Amino acid sequence: MGTYRVPRNTKGESRILVIFSTKALIYTIVGLGIGYVINFILSLIGIHGVGIAIMVILALLGFSIATFKIPNMNSKTAISQIAGENIDDIIIRYIKHNRNKKKIYISQTKEEAEFNGK
């Protein structure tokens, strides 16, 4: 009998830390960097303990933005249309949407569309 290689999923083995994907690690480092700047400014003023707490909160916020998705709500709201998408994708889409202030978006319900003959 010959030897055979058994295929296995090695996608997650190249991560630096197991809980971090590359995107989550980048967002966490950015959150830590912003928190460090705030900590530095607060330490110049003379407030020392609050800056570290702000660093931790911003690092956790960055990690959660990169990792979590919008939950599925069983309702007919705008949130149900974006269920299952990453939070950072929603934030980026919102920023791009607000850049185009000159465009006018018109939406109508199904009843209005049927009434107008579309």
Side-chain angles (χ1 to χ4, degrees):
M1 291 251 154
T3 58
Y4 297 99
R5 295 190 73 210
V6 177
R8 58 187 190 133
N9 187 5
T10 59
K11 181 180 178 184
E13 293 182 4
S14 63
R15 294 189 202 168
I16 297 171
L17 299 171
V18 178
I19 62 169
F20 290 105
S21 64
T22 306
K23 182 171 67 168
L25 187 63
I26 291 170
Y27 276 66
T28 305
I29 291 173
V30 168
L32 275 173
I34 294 170
Y36 180 76
V37 170
I38 294 171
N39 183 22
F40 181 72
I41 293 170
L42 290 176
S43 67
L44 288 176
I45 296 171
I47 304 170
H48 295 287
V50 178
I52 295 173
I54 291 174
M55 282 177 57
V56 171
I57 290 170
L58 289 177
L60 288 173
L61 184 67
F63 176 75
S64 63
I65 286 173
T67 305
F68 298 129
K69 297 180 181 223
I70 303 289
N72 189 4
M73 305 280 189
N74 292 330
S75 63
K76 303 285 182 184
T77 62
I79 294 177
S80 65
Q81 295 175 356
I82 58 173
E85 295 187 34
N86 290 330
I87 295 174
D88 64 330
D89 293 335
I90 303 296
I91 293 171
I92 291 170
R93 195 179 322 150
Y94 178 75
I95 291 170
K96 286 180 181 179
H97 176 74
N98 280 344
R99 280 188 189 168
N100 300 328
K101 293 286 184 180
K102 296 179 182 177
K103 292 183 181 178
I104 298 174
Y105 296 94
I106 300 173
S107 62
Q108 52 183 303
T109 62
K110 290 180 183 179
E111 292 82 18
E112 291 173 338
E114 290 172 0
F115 182 73
N116 292 331
K118 293 183 179 181

